[in-house]
Amino acid sequence: MPASRASHFASVLLLSFMAPLIIGAQGPRSNFVERVLSAHNREREAVGLKPMKWSPELANSANSWANHLARISRLEHSPEPWGAEPEGENLWAGTAGFYQPEAMVGLWIDEKRDFKPGIFPDNSRSGDAEKVGHYTQVVWGQSLEVGCALQRGLVEDFLVCRYKVAGNVIGQSPLAMPAAGSGPRALSR
């Protein structure tokens, strides 16, 4: 192969490997923390709530459960340890490598179309609080910390997000913000 042709071939090959970086392609794990936190906080801002902060402690807790879900290849909520402060929890599963973090959180946010303001659990236009439970946890005004983890199972990715304080508390308003000077508290999960 002539030198100029070999040089051209090497340039094309290098460009093909660099293309995803040049055009900004992102996989689900690229900038995961920033992207999943931003997805939550965009919706919270849209309804006038304070942004959440990332919690490494909650992310570690979420990661343990996400690993478990990836091993068993199904969704189930984690058991609440006796005596521990409750954490809110949202779960998601979908085709491995196909969904971006914004779309994962977006499926929870899509529940907004059935949401109505009020006192939990009377927040669903259909009367079924389960149809808005992920959304109400995302926008729960008293939840100011979030930590999430994404793990790959055999055929699905599993996203677990944990929240402090736990949302979806019967008798409280999802959109109520904490009183000034009050610390976080949780009554139920």
Side-chain angles (χ1 to χ4, degrees):
M1 181 181 305
S4 64
R5 190 169 176 175
S7 175
H8 177 72
F9 178 74
S11 296
V12 169
L13 188 60
L14 178 62
L15 184 57
S16 68
F17 286 115
M18 296 295 293
L21 298 173
I22 293 169
I23 62 174
Q26 295 185 3
R29 288 165 176 79
S30 174
N31 299 321
F32 175 78
V33 170
E34 294 83 8
R35 293 169 68 195
V36 77
L37 182 61
S38 291
H40 279 80
N41 284 335
R42 274 191 299 276
E43 183 58 27
R44 291 175 67 85
E45 181 180 13
V47 296
L49 294 172
K50 292 180 181 178
M52 283 195 238
K53 293 187 181 335
W54 187 259
S55 166
E57 175 186 305
L58 291 172
N60 285 337
S61 174
N63 191 53
S64 294
W65 194 248
N67 277 322
H68 170 74
L69 297 179
R71 278 192 307 276
I72 66 170
S73 293
R74 70 175 185 273
L75 287 178
E76 60 182 42
H77 281 286
S78 64
E80 196 170 299
W82 180 257
E85 182 179 341
E87 296 174 349
E89 180 178 76
N90 273 345
L91 306 177
W92 176 93
T95 304
F98 186 76
Y99 292 91
Q100 300 298 319
E102 297 83 357
M104 297 170 192
V105 175
L107 288 172
W108 300 332
I109 293 170
D110 284 347
E111 294 176 1
K112 181 179 186 173
R113 66 180 163 259
D114 193 40
F115 174 78
K116 69 176 186 175
I119 302 300
F120 189 83
D122 188 26
N123 296 111
S124 172
R125 287 185 176 92
S126 69
D128 184 355
E130 288 187 21
K131 290 187 176 182
V132 296
H134 299 102
Y135 178 73
T136 53
Q137 178 59 80
V138 168
V139 297
W140 197 263
Q142 306 242 352
S143 297
L144 298 177
E145 295 179 58
V146 64
C148 305
L150 180 64
Q151 291 297 329
R152 180 163 288 177
L154 292 174
V155 295
E156 292 182 305
D157 284 334
F158 292 88
L159 174 66
V160 175
C161 287
R162 295 279 172 88
Y163 304 86
K164 199 178 269 181
V165 300
N168 297 341
V169 179
I170 294 172
Q172 293 187 10
S173 171
L175 302 177
M177 303 235 284
S182 69
R185 66 183 189 115
L187 302 176
S188 71
R189 191 165 135 94

